[in-house]
Amino acid sequence: MEGGKPSLALVYQAIQALYHDPDPAGKERASVWLGELQRSMYAWEISDQLLQLKQDVESCYFAAQTMKMKIQTSFYELPTETHNALRDSLLSHIQNLKDLSPIIVTQLALAIADLALQMASWKGSVHTLIEKYNSDVTSMPFLIEILTVLPEEVHSRSLRIGANRRTEIIEDLAFYSSTVVTLLTSCVEKTGSDEKMFIKVFRCLGSWFNLGVLDSNFMASNQLLMVLFQVLQRDETSTNLHEAASDCVCSALYAIENVDTNVALALQLFQGVLTLETAYHMAVAREDLDKVLNYCRIFTELCETFLETTVRSPGQGMGDLRTLELLLICAGHPQYEVVEISFNFWYRLGEHLYKINDAALNGLFRPYIQRLLHCLARHCQLDPDHDGIPEDSDDFGEFRMRVSDLVKDVIFLVGSMECFSQLYSTLKEGNPSWEVTEAVLFIMAAIAKSVDPENNPTLSEVLQQVVLLPENVHVAVRFTSIELVGEMSEVVDRNPRFLDPVLSYLMKGLREKPLASAAAKAIHNICSVCRDHMTQHFQGLLDIARALDSFALSTEAAVGLLKGTALVLARLPLEKIAECLSDLCAVQVLALKKLLAEESRNGKSADPTVWLDRLAVIFRHTNPIVENGQSHPCQKVIQEIWPVLSQTLNTHQADNRIVERCCRCLRFAVRCVGKGSASLLQPLVTQMVSVYQVYPHSCFLYLGSILVDEYGMEEGCRQGLLDMLQVGLCACPPSQLLEQQNGLRNHPDTVDDLFRLATSRFVQRSPITLLSSSIIVHIIQCAIAATSLDHRDANCSVMKFVRDLIHSGVANDHEEDFEVRKRLIGQALEQHGQQLVAQLMHSCCFCLPPYTLPDVAEVLWELMVFQRSTFCRWLEHALKGLPKETSGGAMTVTHKQLTDFHKQVTSAEECKQVCWAIREFTRLFR
């Protein structure tokens, strides 16, 4: 912190302000100042002093939290000789503050655990802690808290202790695990009925189960397991204790995922969980939803654990199908939250059976799935007194969406046609209430697409009946029936006689506010699937598009309607397309002109994004088939619209959001007509360059790469496009991004679009232009720095640029400039190769998430193919530069691991071997 170490009084004052200042601005200032303090070196000493003073809960909590944070993120700041003193100090603090507040004890326990994991000199930490505190009853709660968080922190993302240290710690914890269980057992025996201690013991045991270090044979005969099930069987168990016991059983079940190697414990847990059915019924009778949910979690975890056994040997031993019965009992509970817990299991069961593809096996599980579907249909029913349409944004709406997804995944076991017919017969033969009808239609909509539409009389009958629904049925039934019609668009396509009645039905819905968006979505589906049949209705679609804002549509539904209209427009005869496209765009263009006119009159800026988005979707989906030699029918329309788009872009050039929408619109316009937009190129590039020099929006770079894609091979366009990149690099040069603090991190979109443009134009089409230019040094330096950027798109574009650049010197494509390319890339790598490899290795180990590693592997592979012997030297030098020890003194990487990795990479015969080697190697640093 600037100005040196602050006084304790000042720190205390800031903490008080953080918690008690009535002025939000005062709280915010205190928060920022304390955040700076936590990042400074003074935080260690000040936290220690605050904990010693023990002035109040707030200051002690801040200090304990700071200690934990510093140990997690800044442990390297402390010299090795201070580690023992820090450990002793923390143990002293937790002892002195054990009665002040449980959350302070937890923060200090986390600090001690994180220290133990990083401090290599603290051998057998579990043993020393148990030795020190197990004879003192008052110390037992914090001892168990430390023993609970220690296994949890082993895989914490906040700690980069590396695979070697992690393996060492797990082996150490496994060695002492039986000592911990024995301690927990004696705690239960000594405390009798102390509920808080039981909760702590179960949490701790669950934590050790989760780490997977407990001996399963030792646990199978352990008294704690018996106590767990006794607690869960007892009707009078409190909610908190019940939850802790349930969590522990779920952790135990998860830990024995590999049932065959944990048979004794698996059997104990299997039999134990089956005894809980009576307790479940008792919880239902008492309307104790918390306990019901806990039991359902346990039953689901049981089914997940024994899934493979159940599929391999259904009905035998631990493949006993009573497990599925337990889940179906839960599915019968009136609250939908209960059945929802089991969804992942049913999905996984469906996936397993689909892969095995055995008709006899499917037949065995079919009755269970049928019963599940029956329960789901009932759970999807709205309340009888529900008004209006079904909501999709509340919890129940999201549940229904998940039901829809699950039904689609498991329907093959029942047969979609059979299920669809059965559902329809319940509507046809009975006289169900509106909420039952709506739920059945909802499930039918989920499976309609998976029913074969070919000559299917049931589907035709359903469609006929739905469009005849009277207007006085409940609005929710009409809403869901409209969704069902939209899902049956393939039936309409096979049976064009339904098109008129279906469109007439949907038009009625479009005119009613609550049904409008659903009807629009259904019309969009019909347009997408029945494009050819819909051409005769194009005038009707055009009328809807002209009156779009007279309907009560969501933004998404309005855009969907225009998309459907554009898809049909593209199927019209070529000579009609230009006029119809002009008509379709006219409403949007007039609205934009009106906004621009108002702006010039009153100087107020109005938002044009709605109209730009609508134009964009029209251009994007108007893709007629144009034969060679024919002029593109959309070309004239886009030329007419250009002045309005150009003026809109100029007017809003300072507003990144609107400029992005303009660029998106132009991008689809250019893609729509391809080479036909050549007349736009000069004015468009000129305008982009002039605006970019003042407001360097990254979307211009992206639009630039689209222009390059379309025109890069056109001789007359090359110079203009080259100038565009030069301007792009000058207005927002790589050197500027590198000089700014966090410049790359703060502008990932610019990095993404800049390298996408550089790749698409220069590397893929004319690498020599780039390699010979003065900007190559800057762009390579920027690329090297940007390899550490943890941003999916930006990182991908940077890696692709580097890979493709090097590859252009590897791929001998028999072009006369190959030798020149190879020489220029060789010169660039001579200057930057070592730095590139070192940066890539550092980024892999310390900056990048695992999903980016295949991209890194491709760059290393290209480097190796280009210059294997030099690359071997670069890699060796890069590996020597990596830290061999953690700040806590633990070995990060051994000499053998370094040489093995070097050998694996340099002797690889294909790129994926390099990728596997990097994946394994980088775990040593995570």
Side-chain angles (χ1 to χ4, degrees):
M1 288 182 88
E2 290 177 22
K5 180 182 153 192
S7 68
L8 274 183
L10 188 60
V11 176
Y12 187 72
Q13 192 183 332
I15 294 168
Q16 289 302 303
L18 180 67
Y19 287 101
H20 303 295
D21 193 328
D23 176 18
K27 278 183 186 290
E28 181 59 30
R29 280 195 301 275
S31 176
V32 170
W33 189 85
L34 288 168
E36 279 179 31
L37 170 64
Q38 286 182 315
R39 286 187 290 277
S40 74
M41 273 295 290
Y42 306 119
W44 295 102
E45 190 184 342
I46 285 170
S47 300
D48 192 51
Q49 289 171 339
L50 286 172
L51 290 167
Q52 274 174 353
L53 281 173
K54 198 178 170 181
Q55 206 153 353
D56 56 24
V57 171
E58 285 103 340
S59 61
C60 288
Y61 176 70
F62 171 77
Q65 189 194 37
T66 302
M67 270 296 187
K68 178 203 73 177
M69 198 181 86
K70 293 297 283 185
I71 290 169
Q72 276 184 348
T73 60
S74 311
F75 190 53
Y76 60 87
E77 291 177 354
L78 294 180
T80 311
E81 59 272 17
T82 63
H83 293 174
N84 284 339
L86 175 62
R87 176 191 63 193
D88 297 342
S89 170
L90 287 171
L91 291 172
S92 163
H93 290 320
I94 202 168
Q95 175 105 45
N96 294 334
L97 299 165
K98 61 179 185 279
D99 301 321
L100 187 60
S101 162
I103 56 170
I104 292 171
V105 170
T106 300
Q107 293 297 311
L108 288 171
L110 283 164
I112 292 162
D114 291 339
L115 179 65
L117 296 176
Q118 294 182 91
M119 186 174 155
S121 59
W122 188 0
K123 306 287 184 195
S125 55
V126 170
H127 182 67
T128 56
L129 288 166
I130 292 176
E131 285 276 287
K132 188 173 172 88
Y133 298 114
N134 79 334
S135 54
D136 175 14
V137 177
T138 64
S139 300
M140 203 53 74
F142 76 72
L143 171 61
I144 292 179
E145 187 68 28
I146 297 170
L147 294 174
T148 302
V149 297
L150 188 60
E152 291 171 353
E153 289 295 285
V154 170
H155 294 292
S156 164
R157 290 192 176 177
S158 308
L159 297 177
R160 296 183 74 97
I161 53 178
N164 287 333
R165 175 66 178 157
R166 205 166 269 116
T167 303
E168 185 187 328
I169 290 160
I170 291 171
E171 285 171 1
D172 191 52
L173 294 181
F175 183 76
Y176 291 112
S177 60
S178 54
T179 314
V180 173
V181 175
T182 306
L183 172 77
L184 296 177
T185 311
S186 74
C187 269
V188 166
E189 286 168 357
K190 284 177 191 169
T191 54
S193 58
D194 179 354
E195 186 184 296
K196 282 186 178 170
M197 185 51 80
F198 267 71
I199 291 171
K200 284 184 180 298
V201 165
F202 291 158
R203 269 192 62 226
C204 187
L205 183 61
S207 177
W208 286 72
F209 266 127
N210 284 336
L211 190 61
V213 293
L214 295 180
D215 182 291
S216 66
N217 290 327
F218 174 69
M219 287 311 303
S221 56
N222 192 275
Q223 191 192 339
L224 274 182
L225 211 57
M226 210 164 59
V227 175
L228 262 179
F229 285 110
Q230 283 170 356
V231 165
L232 288 168
Q233 285 159 359
R234 275 206 306 271
D235 185 32
E236 61 274 13
T237 298
S238 74
T239 304
N240 290 344
L241 180 56
H242 197 276
E243 185 173 6
S246 301
D247 289 345
C248 189
V249 170
C250 288
S251 296
L253 285 164
Y254 186 77
I256 57 150
E257 193 86 60
N258 189 344
V259 174
D260 298 336
T261 58
N262 297 289
V263 176
L265 181 55
L267 192 58
Q268 289 296 321
L269 290 168
F270 186 84
Q271 291 169 344
V273 174
L274 288 180
T275 66
L276 300 178
E277 185 182 340
T278 311
Y280 168 83
H281 289 301
M282 185 59 78
V284 173
R286 292 190 183 279
E287 296 187 4
D288 190 337
L289 185 60
D290 289 332
K291 285 186 180 176
V292 166
L293 292 167
N294 286 337
Y295 288 124
C296 189
R297 282 196 298 127
I298 293 171
F299 298 155
T300 303
E301 199 63 63
L302 178 79
C303 288
E304 295 250 18
T305 296
F306 292 97
L307 172 61
E308 291 192 17
T309 314
T310 309
V311 172
R312 194 171 58 224
S313 50
Q316 298 165 35
M318 287 186 277
D320 194 327
L321 295 175
R322 278 185 297 167
T323 55
L324 299 190
E325 290 289 349
L326 287 174
L327 281 198
L328 288 172
I329 289 169
C330 292
H333 191 278
Q335 301 281 15
Y336 71 83
E337 295 93 339
V338 180
V339 69
E340 193 169 16
I341 289 169
S342 64
F343 278 14
N344 191 56
F345 165 74
W346 294 114
Y347 166 73
R348 281 187 61 207
L349 175 66
E351 200 176 35
H352 259 65
L353 293 171
Y354 187 77
K355 280 179 186 166
I356 294 168
N357 193 17
D358 179 330
L361 196 59
N362 289 354
L364 202 60
F365 287 97
R366 183 173 297 122
Y368 295 95
I369 301 297
Q370 282 171 331
R371 285 163 61 194
L372 174 69
L373 292 175
H374 181 76
C375 289
L376 292 176
R378 199 179 66 255
H379 279 298
C380 284
Q381 289 173 20
L382 298 161
D383 286 335
D385 57 357
H386 178 91
D387 284 332
I389 62 168
E391 290 293 331
D392 59 359
S393 55
D394 60 5
D395 289 345
F396 185 55
E398 286 181 15
F399 166 75
R400 284 178 30 128
M401 286 300 103
R402 289 194 68 200
V403 168
S404 179
D405 291 341
L406 178 60
V407 168
K408 286 170 188 168
D409 286 327
V410 298
I411 195 64
F412 74 94
L413 286 163
V414 178
S416 45
M417 186 59 240
E418 188 184 336
C419 184
F420 195 86
S421 300
Q422 280 177 357
L423 288 166
Y424 177 52
S425 66
T426 63
L427 297 182
K428 193 166 65 167
E429 290 158 20
N431 185 21
S433 59
W434 77 262
E435 67 274 11
V436 171
T437 302
E438 191 278 334
V440 169
L441 290 172
F442 177 76
I443 300 291
M444 287 170 76
I447 58 178
K449 273 204 170 93
S450 59
V451 181
D452 183 6
E454 192 68 50
N455 299 324
N456 197 317
T458 305
L459 287 174
S460 304
E461 190 182 336
V462 167
L463 202 51
Q464 275 174 316
Q465 292 304 313
V466 166
V467 299
L468 293 173
L469 274 173
E471 286 184 37
N472 62 350
V473 298
H474 194 290
V475 69
V477 174
R478 290 185 62 206
F479 177 88
T480 304
S481 68
I482 286 170
E483 290 197 320
L484 173 58
V485 169
E487 292 297 307
M488 295 178 75
S489 46
E490 283 193 25
V491 183
V492 179
D493 193 42
R494 303 282 172 97
N495 301 275
R497 67 182 188 280
F498 291 138
L499 192 56
D500 284 354
V502 161
L503 288 175
S504 169
Y505 180 67
L506 294 177
M507 278 307 298
K508 277 184 205 164
L510 195 62
R511 294 189 190 99
E512 291 181 45
K513 187 176 180 180
L515 304 174
S517 290
K521 187 180 173 191
I523 293 171
H524 166 208
N525 282 356
I526 300 282
C527 289
S528 302
V529 176
C530 315
R531 290 169 73 174
D532 292 321
H533 298 310
M534 281 298 292
T535 52
Q536 59 187 302
H537 293 280
F538 183 76
Q539 192 56 47
L541 290 172
L542 196 54
D543 292 340
I544 294 172
R546 284 178 177 142
L548 209 53
D549 292 311
S550 66
F551 304 111
L553 296 174
S554 67
T555 307
E556 186 189 359
V559 165
L561 258 178
L562 288 174
K563 175 184 172 183
T565 307
L567 288 170
V568 175
L569 168 64
R571 294 295 171 94
L572 294 175
L574 276 189
E575 65 275 8
K576 284 191 172 181
I577 287 178
E579 183 191 343
C580 291
L581 177 63
S582 184
D583 288 344
L584 187 57
C585 294
V587 179
Q588 303 16 278
V589 174
L590 283 171
L592 285 173
K593 282 180 177 172
K594 191 177 168 191
L595 288 182
L596 291 166
E598 284 172 8
E599 208 153 331
S600 64
R601 274 201 309 275
N602 60 28
K604 283 186 181 169
S605 182
D607 189 346
T609 53
V610 168
W611 314 106
L612 291 170
D613 286 350
R614 290 181 183 182
L615 278 175
V617 82
I618 294 167
F619 295 147
R620 184 177 191 174
H621 297 285
T622 304
N623 43 16
I625 298 159
V626 182
E627 304 291 336
N628 278 345
Q630 290 180 311
S631 67
H632 199 291
C634 305
Q635 187 177 330
K636 180 169 160 282
V637 181
I638 286 169
Q639 281 169 344
E640 287 168 2
I641 290 172
W642 160 246
V644 182
L645 292 176
S646 171
Q647 200 181 341
T648 303
L649 180 57
N650 257 344
T651 304
H652 298 279
Q653 58 184 272
D655 188 325
N656 183 56
R657 189 176 65 91
I658 295 175
V659 171
E660 270 194 347
R661 297 308 229 289
C662 284
C663 285
R664 189 167 171 273
C665 193
L666 286 163
R667 164 182 141 208
F668 289 126
V670 168
R671 286 284 195 220
C672 173
V673 293
K675 304 280 185 293
S677 61
S679 60
L680 288 187
L681 189 62
Q682 190 57 48
L684 176 54
V685 169
T686 305
Q687 185 169 0
M688 281 167 64
V689 167
S690 73
V691 175
Y692 190 86
Q693 286 172 318
V694 187
Y695 300 105
H697 301 295
S698 73
C699 53
F700 283 130
L701 299 172
Y702 183 75
L703 180 55
S705 64
I706 301 295
L707 295 174
V708 167
D709 262 1
E710 294 294 340
Y711 299 104
M713 304 310 280
E714 304 288 309
E715 200 57 50
C717 304
R718 282 190 175 180
Q719 192 52 48
L721 294 167
L722 177 57
D723 294 345
M724 184 175 65
L725 180 71
Q726 293 278 14
V727 169
L729 289 165
C730 295
C732 192
S735 55
Q736 193 177 310
L737 287 174
L738 291 172
E739 284 159 18
Q740 292 173 9
Q741 190 179 5
N742 294 328
L744 294 170
R745 189 166 294 284
N746 294 339
H747 299 95
D749 293 339
T750 299
V751 173
D752 178 20
D753 294 330
L754 180 69
F755 283 101
R756 198 188 292 242
L757 174 58
T759 306
S760 65
R761 168 61 184 101
F762 297 99
V763 177
Q764 291 174 354
R765 285 182 169 74
S766 180
I768 289 179
T769 312
L770 180 63
L771 287 161
S772 314
S773 73
S774 57
I775 58 174
I776 184 64
V777 173
H778 299 298
I779 203 163
I780 288 178
Q781 283 173 343
C782 187
I784 291 171
T787 56
S788 64
L789 205 57
D790 176 6
H791 181 281
R792 188 184 286 266
D793 294 336
N795 194 281
C796 183
S797 294
V798 170
M799 295 298 179
K800 183 171 170 40
F801 166 76
V802 179
R803 181 193 70 206
D804 287 4
L805 187 69
I806 299 161
H807 186 72
S808 68
V810 171
N812 187 352
D813 40 24
H814 307 295
E815 291 186 14
E816 63 263 22
D817 65 358
F818 173 68
E819 288 304 324
V820 181
R821 285 201 316 254
K822 191 173 178 181
R823 178 174 55 77
L824 288 170
I825 288 165
Q827 286 171 2
L829 288 178
E830 200 175 314
Q831 201 175 346
H832 303 286
Q834 179 64 76
Q835 187 192 356
L836 173 62
V837 174
Q839 182 65 48
L840 284 171
M841 288 314 304
H842 184 272
S843 297
C844 283
C845 295
F846 299 107
C847 308
L848 298 179
Y851 66 75
T852 60
L853 298 183
D855 295 338
V856 177
E858 288 184 3
V859 175
L860 294 178
W861 173 257
E862 292 296 343
L863 281 166
M864 187 160 63
V865 173
F866 184 77
Q867 230 168 29
R868 189 174 285 262
S869 58
T870 315
F871 171 75
C872 291
R873 203 169 60 246
W874 287 338
L875 183 59
E876 184 182 350
H877 187 271
L879 294 176
K880 281 179 180 170
L882 294 172
K884 310 298 182 288
E885 277 192 358
T886 65
S887 48
M891 173 70 73
T892 305
V893 57
T894 64
H895 180 70
K896 183 178 186 308
Q897 284 168 329
L898 287 170
T899 52
D900 284 353
F901 172 68
H902 188 276
K903 187 178 176 185
Q904 284 167 351
V905 172
T906 54
S907 63
E909 291 178 6
E910 52 185 346
C911 183
K912 65 180 176 186
Q913 292 171 319
V914 176
C915 187
W916 290 334
I918 293 174
R919 274 190 200 283
E920 287 307 307
F921 183 70
T922 53
R923 287 190 182 125
L924 300 171
F925 297 87
R926 291 181 190 279

